[in-house]
Amino acid sequence: MSTQDRPTYAEISSHAGVSQATVSRVLNGDERVHPDRAKRVLESVAALGYRKNRAASALASGRTGLIAVVIDDDMRVFNDPFWSAVSSGVSRVLQTAELQTLLMVSNMTSPTGAIAHYLNSGDVDGAIFFQLHSEEFVSKLAARGLPVVIAGTPLSSADFTYVDSDNFGGARQATHHLLQRGCKSIASITGDINASAARQRLDGYRQGVRDFGIEPDNDLVAYGDYSHESGIEQMRVLLSRGVEFDGVFAANDLMAVGAMAALEEAGRKIPDDVAVVGFDDSLIARTTRPALTTIRQDITELGEAVAELMIQKLAGEETFSRILPTELIVRDSA
Amino acid sequence: MSTQDRPTYAEISSHAGVSQATVSRVLNGDERVHPDRAKRVLESVAALGYRKNRAASALASGRTGLIAVVIDDDMRVFNDPFWSAVSSGVSRVLQTAELQTLLMVSNMTSPTGAIAHYLNSGDVDGAIFFQLHSEEFVSKLAARGLPVVIAGTPLSSADFTYVDSDNFGGARQATHHLLQRGCKSIASITGDINASAARQRLDGYRQGVRDFGIEPDNDLVAYGDYSHESGIEQMRVLLSRGVEFDGVFAANDLMAVGAMAALEEAGRKIPDDVAVVGFDDSLIARTTRPALTTIRQDITELGEAVAELMIQKLAGEETFSRILPTELIVRDSA
DNA sequence: ATGAAAGCGCTAACAA
DNA sequence: TTGTTAGCGCTTTCAT
């Protein structure tokens, strides 16, 4: 809008008394320019209030400076502050590398969708996926040479670069805490078991009990889907099975809160009759009563790590997936 | 990355046997092209798997197809699913108009910041602001001809185009509900009073009591800041004042939950001794016990409305700010 | 180390 | 209605 006729290389070039090529070199950090001339260029840039036209730059160089962040338009995602915190971290870090964040909300990331279209069009320099959609689709993009980083753990063993919290370790930590505080029998309510995080947390729970010489008992595991309702339901299921337990690890805070409601409904006192540990350290963990003991993941760092890996990829450096440590936050429920 | 040497207008043009100008016209929806030739162009496009190069298009046309969504890097924003739901709506609607969403997280939207820089560079076709930062800054951008739409109500009476929930009406509705269920004296805990929404909710509460012939009493108003902690604190303040009340309207759910905790701590039963109504209908309203009666705002629609207004602005149409209706959700707390 | 010059792929006058 | 033709502003060989 409004061709404010801003200065171009032509103006800078004549104002500084150098060629446009030199202006370009200076503005792109090319080393081989005499410091004096570089200084003059920079002065002219400042004097004329010059700002680079990204479209022109993108056209000429083939680099757009845009990184897509692809999110499933899944209610889970948008009711969960988790992903917005990750996005925030991503965006902030990308900005330091002069990269912009393109937010793409996909209702279905089918290879024929508008997003697939866009991602294939070379209009972005890279793509970050939140919870891996169709891994096949993502593999295809990666194979085409598009730098891809994933927030979360891919289901397949494919060699994606990804960053995730230590779901396994966190769940194990939670279980250990319950056992250490004296619980004898620990139950667990899993998240949506189709998601890798839920599986890892279940595995961590199992390892956790094993660490204390207890054989995992399938009767103590109930399969939820991360929702508050499923926390209530699955706790009722556990109670109805008649197996004894005095500790519960729920794969996220929301289910933990649901489970606590069901426990109280059944007349069990928390934490005395049954101790409860969640996962996420979301807002709800602090505000629920009793306050929820939980596993904190550093989601802002997750976002930052993802962005850093992307920057490394773009620079052609080798990248290594990262697992971020979690932390036990002890409150009143366990 | 990887110059997949994708087809350009040159290829389409020769494949379809028309000029590049015609290709451009067809691809940009120019009416005055003979249907037959348009059809041929489209076929060639499909046959060759052509995809437009946005950078080239942007350079030539001056339109980037990018809309910035500017969000304050404020913990409030990223702990609150509110804004991610709005972004989701924005992004989805913009996509239908072939526009992409550029997510810009500002730590300080100072006119000298990187974001200001970007916004001033003509690299975006428009900007959407979440909660108005520096209105002066935004006015300046708008004055330069950048289409701007705001999610939330501007503090000043400036003529921005904005979309907001009916904060006044919702608060009034909440107050009416308390009065209708038999409460005789209603207290209120406000949000951060520097924010327009908090002021509107306070005004709505006052109007609500007045509607029932009661004169608003300043001793019944406590000033919070939207945080859970402030809900607890301000409820304690209210209780310590010694003024009687049997109903409370908190300006958001988080404070309402905090207030309930403080009430129970003081031995007051909810809703019998004191009924509580919140605002937002966030996740926490459903999961807290007793479940919170609250005012729901349709935040996805808010995002969609913002995006629609932006599209209208870009089309040069006149735009009118919108206030979206709220809905009372009755649960157990009132 | 610097400059000249040829595009990058598309759009939009202008002509026809 | 269609085609011709200049660019848009920057990057990048290729010379020097």
Side-chain angles (χ1 to χ4, degrees):
Chain A
M1 208 114 281
S2 75
T3 307
Q4 305 265 15
D5 58 9
R6 305 192 289 107
T8 68
Y9 275 12
E11 281 74 53
I12 304 296
S13 156
S14 64
H15 186 274
V18 300
S19 72
Q20 298 195 25
T22 297
V23 175
S24 175
R25 288 187 187 109
V26 171
L27 262 37
N28 291 308
D30 192 319
E31 297 295 298
R32 42 183 198 173
V33 175
H34 190 91
D36 289 355
R37 324 193 91 219
K39 186 157 155 284
R40 266 160 56 203
V41 169
L42 261 8
E43 283 167 359
S44 299
V45 163
L48 303 179
Y50 172 79
R51 274 185 291 251
K52 202 188 261 189
N53 177 321
R54 321 251 326 186
S57 175
L59 176 57
S61 71
R63 276 168 276 108
T64 60
L66 261 29
I67 303 295
V69 166
V70 186
I71 310 185
D72 250 336
D73 182 16
D74 191 311
M75 269 313 133
R76 263 206 317 268
V77 173
F78 284 102
N79 278 326
D80 194 340
F82 189 93
W83 298 112
S84 48
V86 177
S87 307
S88 159
V90 166
S91 182
R92 243 180 312 102
V93 171
L94 288 182
Q95 251 167 57
T96 65
E98 309 257 86
L99 293 168
Q100 294 298 326
T101 309
L102 213 50
L103 184 70
M104 313 194 86
V105 178
S106 64
N107 6 19
M108 37 106 210
T109 307
S110 72
T112 48
I115 294 202
H117 185 109
Y118 204 94
L119 259 26
N120 274 314
S121 298
D123 294 326
V124 296
D125 292 348
I128 291 169
F129 288 86
F130 282 4
Q131 33 179 48
L132 199 35
H133 312 59
S134 151
E135 299 202 2
E136 186 197 336
F137 168 59
V138 178
S139 307
K140 217 168 277 170
L141 285 176
R144 288 197 182 207
L146 186 77
V148 168
V149 177
I150 292 155
T153 306
L155 284 169
S156 77
S157 53
D159 48 17
F160 294 115
T161 298
Y162 67 88
V163 182
D164 205 350
S165 292
D166 186 2
N167 292 303
F168 179 88
R172 189 177 180 183
Q173 210 173 0
T175 309
H176 284 183
H177 174 72
L178 288 165
L179 261 2
Q180 276 159 1
R181 83 190 297 285
C183 293
K184 297 300 174 205
S185 173
I186 315 295
S188 182
I189 300 178
T190 75
D192 172 5
I193 210 66
N194 294 313
S196 49
R199 293 224 265 259
Q200 293 168 337
R201 290 175 196 180
L202 174 57
D203 291 342
Y205 150 78
R206 286 187 170 138
Q207 182 60 49
V209 296
R210 246 187 239 110
D211 292 336
F212 276 66
I214 304 172
E215 199 48 35
D217 178 355
N218 284 332
D219 283 350
L220 288 170
V221 175
Y223 294 83
D225 62 7
Y226 284 130
S227 73
H228 181 246
E229 289 70 27
S230 82
I232 298 175
E233 286 162 19
Q234 297 309 313
M235 176 48 72
R236 287 184 184 142
V237 167
L238 285 170
L239 290 169
S240 71
R241 282 191 192 151
V243 281
E244 289 301 310
F245 58 88
D246 51 4
V248 183
F249 163 62
N252 75 350
D253 290 347
L254 211 47
M255 291 194 299
V257 169
M260 291 201 290
L263 283 167
E264 295 192 344
E265 174 192 273
R268 313 281 181 113
K269 297 281 168 262
I270 298 164
D272 298 334
D273 296 341
V274 181
V276 179
V277 180
F279 203 111
D280 282 350
D281 193 29
S282 56
L283 195 55
I284 208 173
R286 289 192 284 115
T287 59
T288 197
R289 284 156 292 146
L292 186 66
T293 292
T294 187
I295 301 295
R296 173 182 297 166
Q297 14 180 4
D298 192 336
I299 52 187
T300 303
E301 193 191 340
L302 202 161
E304 291 169 354
V306 165
E308 282 156 12
L309 285 175
M310 176 55 75
I311 291 168
Q312 288 171 23
K313 279 218 155 176
L314 293 174
E317 297 169 22
E318 197 178 359
T319 55
F320 301 96
S321 294
R322 291 185 57 190
I323 302 293
L324 305 178
T326 55
E327 183 189 358
L328 173 73
I329 305 294
V330 179
R331 296 209 177 84
D332 307 327
S333 70
Chain B
M1 207 116 281
S2 72
T3 308
Q4 306 264 17
D5 58 8
R6 307 193 287 107
T8 69
Y9 275 11
E11 281 74 52
I12 305 295
S13 159
S14 63
H15 186 275
V18 299
S19 73
Q20 298 196 25
T22 297
V23 175
S24 175
R25 287 187 187 108
V26 172
L27 263 36
N28 290 308
D30 192 320
E31 297 296 297
R32 43 184 195 170
V33 174
H34 190 91
D36 290 355
R37 324 192 90 219
K39 187 156 155 285
R40 267 161 55 203
V41 170
L42 261 9
E43 284 167 358
S44 299
V45 163
L48 303 179
Y50 172 80
R51 274 184 290 250
K52 203 189 260 190
N53 178 321
R54 322 254 320 189
S57 174
L59 176 57
S61 71
R63 278 170 274 109
T64 61
L66 261 29
I67 303 295
V69 166
V70 186
I71 311 186
D72 249 337
D73 183 17
D74 192 310
M75 269 313 134
R76 264 206 318 268
V77 172
F78 283 103
N79 278 324
D80 194 340
F82 190 92
W83 299 111
S84 48
V86 177
S87 307
S88 159
V90 166
S91 182
R92 243 181 310 103
V93 172
L94 287 182
Q95 250 167 55
T96 65
E98 308 259 85
L99 293 168
Q100 294 298 326
T101 310
L102 214 50
L103 183 70
M104 314 194 84
V105 179
S106 64
N107 8 18
M108 36 105 211
T109 309
S110 72
T112 48
I115 294 202
H117 185 110
Y118 204 94
L119 260 25
N120 274 315
S121 297
D123 294 327
V124 295
D125 292 347
I128 291 169
F129 289 85
F130 281 5
Q131 33 179 47
L132 199 34
H133 312 58
S134 152
E135 299 202 3
E136 186 197 336
F137 169 59
V138 178
S139 309
K140 218 168 277 172
L141 284 176
R144 288 197 182 207
L146 186 76
V148 168
V149 177
I150 292 154
T153 307
L155 283 169
S156 77
S157 53
D159 47 16
F160 295 116
T161 300
Y162 66 89
V163 182
D164 205 351
S165 292
D166 186 2
N167 292 303
F168 179 88
R172 189 175 180 185
Q173 210 173 359
T175 309
H176 285 183
H177 174 72
L178 287 165
L179 260 4
Q180 275 160 1
R181 83 189 299 285
C183 293
K184 298 299 173 205
S185 173
I186 316 294
S188 181
I189 300 178
T190 75
D192 172 5
I193 208 68
N194 294 314
S196 49
R199 293 224 266 260
Q200 293 168 337
R201 291 175 195 181
L202 174 57
D203 291 342
Y205 150 78
R206 286 187 170 135
Q207 183 59 51
V209 297
R210 247 187 238 107
D211 292 336
F212 277 63
I214 303 170
E215 199 48 36
D217 179 353
N218 283 333
D219 283 349
L220 288 170
V221 175
Y223 294 84
D225 62 7
Y226 283 130
S227 73
H228 181 247
E229 290 70 28
S230 81
I232 298 175
E233 286 163 18
Q234 296 310 311
M235 176 48 73
R236 288 185 185 142
V237 167
L238 286 169
L239 290 168
S240 72
R241 282 189 193 153
V243 280
E244 288 302 311
F245 57 90
D246 51 5
V248 183
F249 164 62
N252 74 351
D253 290 346
L254 210 47
M255 292 194 299
V257 169
M260 291 201 289
L263 281 168
E264 295 193 343
E265 174 192 273
R268 312 281 181 113
K269 297 283 168 261
I270 298 163
D272 298 334
D273 296 342
V274 180
V276 179
V277 179
F279 203 111
D280 282 349
D281 192 28
S282 56
L283 195 54
I284 209 173
R286 289 192 283 115
T287 60
T288 196
R289 284 155 293 147
L292 186 66
T293 292
T294 188
I295 301 295
R296 172 181 298 166
Q297 13 181 5
D298 191 336
I299 53 187
T300 303
E301 192 190 342
L302 202 160
E304 291 169 355
V306 166
E308 281 156 11
L309 285 175
M310 176 55 75
I311 291 168
Q312 287 171 25
K313 279 218 155 175
L314 293 174
E317 298 169 21
E318 197 178 0
T319 55
F320 301 96
S321 294
R322 292 186 55 190
I323 302 293
L324 306 179
T326 55
E327 182 189 358
L328 174 72
I329 305 294
V330 180
R331 295 208 177 84
D332 306 327
S333 69

